[in-house]
């Protein structure tokens, strides 16, 4: 059975971990640089043969249980739109942390 939208039985999914976005305490102040980096990484993953990519705001720490900030949502929308325009593989969006996370905040162990 082939999985949609990947059209293969066992898709290989690459992950693009975004640097801190607007609204995050660690945001560098240059969204265009983040967009360029994300598109460049998506192209590399596509060239390496992955079947799709997930874009995640992994470095927006400390994480909130639910991402509701207009800045974060708008930034991720711009980034994913640019990726979709530049590659020919599916692009999925994931916001950290998962809605399953019951804590109010968490940091990755490497932060």
């Amino acid at each position: 059975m082939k999985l949609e939208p990947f059209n293969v039985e066992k898709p290989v999914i690459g992950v693009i971990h975004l640097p801190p976005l607007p609204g995050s305490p660690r945001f560098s102040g240059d969204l265009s640089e983040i967009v360029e980096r994300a598109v460049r990484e998506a192209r590399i993953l596509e060239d390496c043969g992955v079947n799709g990519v997930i874009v995640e705001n992994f470095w927006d720490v400390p994480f909130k249980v639910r991402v509701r900030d207009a800045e974060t949502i708008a930034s991720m929308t711009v980034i994913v739109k640019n990726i979709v325009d530049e590659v020919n593989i599916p692009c999925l969006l994931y916001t950290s942390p998962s809605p399953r996370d019951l804590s109010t905040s968490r940091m990755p162990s490497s932060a």
Side-chain angles (χ1 to χ4, degrees):
M1 179 176 103
K2 293 184 177 180
L3 295 176
E4 294 296 331
F6 305 106
N7 204 29
V8 295
E9 287 183 36
K10 295 181 180 180
V12 174
I13 310 297
V15 181
I16 299 171
H17 289 113
L18 299 174
L21 299 175
S24 171
R26 296 181 177 182
F27 175 57
S28 70
D30 190 351
L31 183 60
S32 64
E33 183 178 299
I34 294 171
V35 170
E36 290 172 16
R37 174 179 164 179
V39 169
R40 186 171 54 252
E41 289 182 15
R43 285 186 187 132
I44 291 168
L45 290 167
E46 181 180 38
D47 290 345
C48 289
V50 301
N51 303 108
V53 294
I54 294 175
V55 179
E56 181 179 12
N57 63 326
F58 187 77
W59 292 108
D60 279 355
V61 291
F63 297 140
K64 298 175 183 173
V65 173
R66 301 221 193 263
V67 175
R68 295 184 181 142
D69 299 331
E71 289 175 302
T72 302
I73 294 167
S75 299
M76 291 188 79
T77 301
V78 167
I79 293 163
V80 169
K81 167 77 168 90
N82 277 270
I83 292 171
V84 168
D85 288 348
E86 295 293 327
V87 298
N88 294 309
I89 54 176
C91 182
L92 309 171
L93 178 62
Y94 177 84
T95 58
S96 299
S98 165
R100 296 180 306 270
D101 191 341
L102 300 177
S103 65
T104 57
S105 179
R106 66 182 172 93
M107 303 245 326
S109 59
S110 59

